[in-house]
Amino acid sequence: MRILLVEDEPEMVSALRAALRRHDMVVDHAGSLLEAEGFVAVDGYDAILLDRQLPDGDGLTLVPKLRAARNTTPVLMLTARGDTADKVDGLDMGADDYLAKPFAFEELLARLRALLRRPAAIETQTIRAGHLSLDVGHREASIRGEPLALPRRELLVLEALMRRTGRMVQREALMEAVFGLDDEIQSNALDTHVSRLRRKLSEADGGVVINGIRGVGYLLRETT
């Protein structure tokens, strides 16, 4: 799950980024409206956490631009401006939810989960291939109904491949799905995650196999 965090307070950025990553989310960070517009122009996100008071303007102005471009990504406003009138303005301009600072991370996470459960945010709750099922909302994989324990990165690889079962997923697309833009990534990190995932799927008889073309990408195909 990929989140765009638009926030300029370093301490808030650090805390939110760490907390979201602990919940299996890839987090990209933009510190201004201009940076945020650049991110959404080239990348797809499952949700956007958007501060209002940014160095180059009111973050809320980004929302109508997204909607005008037919971008339906859920937007959760995070702001110290918590008056009723501010909340109404935010919702009327196209934001999906509004959370005033300071807030408890548990509430933020609950609101984010609620947004991601909406039909527009998740195409399908469960993806299937072979004997393998992936519950996108709960981040749980299973084979023939038996849980398959996978660490966060391998789950992200699996989701990206299962969403395109039978089709090649280029390395660049996989890297974007698994790693944040500011993550420190070793050259063989992606291949290591794929190799471990491939072995686990084989050992558990998942009815799928991951094939790769060196330097190009990977595809997951059904063997049943």
Side-chain angles (χ1 to χ4, degrees):
M1 200 169 294
R2 195 177 190 93
I3 306 294
L4 176 61
L5 172 61
V6 187
E7 170 66 63
D8 67 322
E9 296 179 13
E11 292 184 1
M12 178 69 73
V13 171
S14 179
L16 285 178
R17 180 186 285 160
L20 292 169
R21 285 175 174 173
R22 286 197 299 270
H23 287 79
D24 299 335
M25 300 182 191
V26 174
V27 182
D28 289 340
H29 168 241
S32 67
L33 274 171
L34 184 61
E35 288 182 5
E37 291 175 2
F39 280 124
V40 297
V42 298
D43 277 313
Y45 293 95
D46 295 292
I48 298 173
L49 302 180
L50 179 60
D51 185 29
R52 285 199 64 169
Q53 295 175 306
L54 296 170
D56 52 349
D58 186 346
L60 185 56
T61 61
L62 176 64
V63 181
K65 293 180 181 179
L66 293 176
R67 303 307 182 230
R70 299 179 183 269
N71 186 326
T72 60
T73 303
V75 176
L76 172 55
M77 302 299 303
L78 304 177
T79 177
R81 298 167 61 175
D83 293 342
T84 299
D86 290 322
K87 294 179 181 179
V88 170
D89 287 344
L91 296 173
D92 283 347
M93 290 183 69
D96 296 270
D97 202 354
Y98 203 106
L99 187 57
K101 300 176 182 178
F103 52 81
F105 176 73
E106 291 76 11
E107 181 179 1
L108 168 64
L109 194 61
R111 289 173 180 263
L112 191 54
R113 285 196 300 262
L115 290 180
L116 295 172
R117 283 197 298 268
R118 295 180 183 178
I122 295 181
E123 296 175 4
T124 177
Q125 285 285 345
T126 303
I127 310 171
R128 294 182 175 86
H131 307 308
L132 180 64
S133 297
L134 177 63
D135 185 324
V136 176
H138 294 92
R139 317 302 298 165
E140 295 174 349
S142 61
I143 293 178
R144 295 190 179 90
E146 294 296 321
L148 178 66
L150 296 174
R152 179 172 66 95
R153 300 289 192 192
E154 291 174 28
L155 272 171
L156 292 170
V157 171
L158 182 62
E159 179 181 347
L161 292 174
M162 289 185 70
R163 285 189 179 277
R164 301 168 180 81
T165 298
R167 293 178 288 164
M168 176 67 67
V169 182
Q170 294 186 345
R171 288 185 64 86
E172 291 79 6
L174 273 176
M175 295 287 286
E176 290 177 0
V178 176
F179 302 103
L181 294 177
D182 56 354
D183 284 346
E184 294 183 6
I185 308 168
Q186 296 182 350
S187 59
N188 64 340
L190 176 63
D191 302 301
T192 298
H193 291 307
V194 172
S195 177
R196 291 172 179 168
L197 176 61
R198 178 189 281 140
R199 184 182 69 252
K200 292 174 184 177
L201 293 176
S202 176
E203 291 174 349
D205 188 21
V208 296
V209 64
I210 299 175
N211 297 132
I213 298 178
R214 184 178 296 275
V216 178
Y218 293 92
L219 70 84
L220 180 144
R221 63 180 179 83
E222 299 178 308
T223 59
T224 57

